[in-house]
Amino acid sequence: PPFAAAAHVRKITLTASGGPFRTWTREQMAAATLEQARRHPTWTMGDKVTIDSASLMNKALELIEAHWLFGVGPERLDAVIHPQSIVHAFVEYVDCSTLAQLATPDMRTPIHAAMLYPHEVQGTGKTLDLTAMSQLTFEPVDETKFPAVAMAREVMKRGGTSGAVFNAANEEAVSAFMAGRIGFTRIGELVAGALEGVRAGGAATLPGVLEG
């Protein structure tokens, strides 16, 4: 169900580091190697999520998750590029105030929160040193280079099993890229093709999901 404060929230914005290709052109990205895609500038993660971060598919999936978890429509969800990976999300309220969630870019922190929720227990990651942060920057997502965010909005509008189609197509496309069968920018192209070519069914029941 929608979370209690949803009526008072104007907008939720998730941040993305931009990955290793933030400053690359789409033409450069098309020729990117697996090793280059694995070189994330701020996070140390497994190969699959690192590739998703390089294409911003991870952020697209997080936006879809936020849509379903919090009952917030696509018009109230957004993403911005934040290379330092210190701010992880913004919640803007109807009174024009905004709250930010900050933490060091350490995967132990979200894993800790997920495993122990709703309990607050001493974490294992590093605490944030505010005096060491000389600059935090933010920039819009270039949806020509990173079409995943726009596809996420379309998935939210369509509903049903379109999110499952999106996720499954990305899984297969990333596997193909890691195996050297396709280029990096083909990941987004194949996912877009799946969304257009695979019928999205209802997701209210298990039989509906299996049929869709």
Side-chain angles (χ1 to χ4, degrees):
F3 72 125
H8 305 294
V9 171
R10 177 178 287 142
K11 187 177 182 182
I12 296 174
T13 300
L14 305 182
T15 65
S17 69
F21 305 140
R22 180 176 65 88
T23 61
W24 289 35
T25 65
R26 184 163 177 81
E27 290 72 26
Q28 289 174 316
M29 291 167 64
T33 66
L34 175 59
E35 194 56 40
Q36 288 170 325
R38 282 174 167 157
R39 293 175 192 159
H40 199 288
T42 52
W43 292 94
T44 301
M45 306 176 288
D47 282 349
K48 168 60 168 58
V49 70
T50 302
I51 303 304
D52 282 349
S53 182
S55 66
L56 263 66
M57 283 291 179
N58 69 323
K59 210 53 49 181
L61 290 165
E62 289 172 16
L63 288 167
I64 295 167
E65 289 170 354
H67 166 66
W68 288 108
L69 286 172
F70 304 135
V72 177
E75 73 284 352
R76 295 163 66 194
L77 289 165
D78 201 4
V80 296
I81 301 295
H82 171 50
Q84 296 80 25
S85 300
I86 296 297
V87 179
H88 304 289
F90 295 100
V91 178
E92 178 185 341
Y93 290 92
V94 293
D95 65 359
C96 297
S97 66
T98 299
L99 296 183
Q101 193 272 333
L102 290 78
T104 54
D106 187 334
M107 285 304 297
R108 289 178 296 180
T109 301
I111 292 170
H112 173 96
M115 292 183 66
L116 297 175
Y117 180 84
H119 305 291
E120 294 291 342
V121 181
Q122 181 68 33
T124 57
K126 294 181 180 179
T127 57
L128 194 63
D129 181 359
L130 296 175
T131 63
M133 295 189 300
S134 60
Q135 187 178 37
L136 299 180
T137 60
F138 305 90
E139 57 196 62
V141 175
D142 183 340
E143 294 187 2
T144 301
K145 287 169 49 177
F146 301 110
V149 172
M151 283 192 276
R153 295 193 194 98
E154 186 61 29
V155 165
M156 287 183 261
K157 291 175 184 175
R158 293 185 186 186
T161 56
S162 59
V165 172
F166 179 83
N167 182 61
N170 180 58
E171 292 272 355
E172 291 301 314
V174 170
S175 293
F177 169 69
M178 293 179 66
R181 298 197 304 272
I182 64 171
F184 181 77
T185 53
R186 282 290 287 157
I187 295 173
E189 294 168 357
L190 290 172
V191 174
L195 285 175
E196 289 303 314
V198 179
R199 183 182 66 86
T205 64
L206 178 59
V209 171
L210 294 175
E211 181 180 350

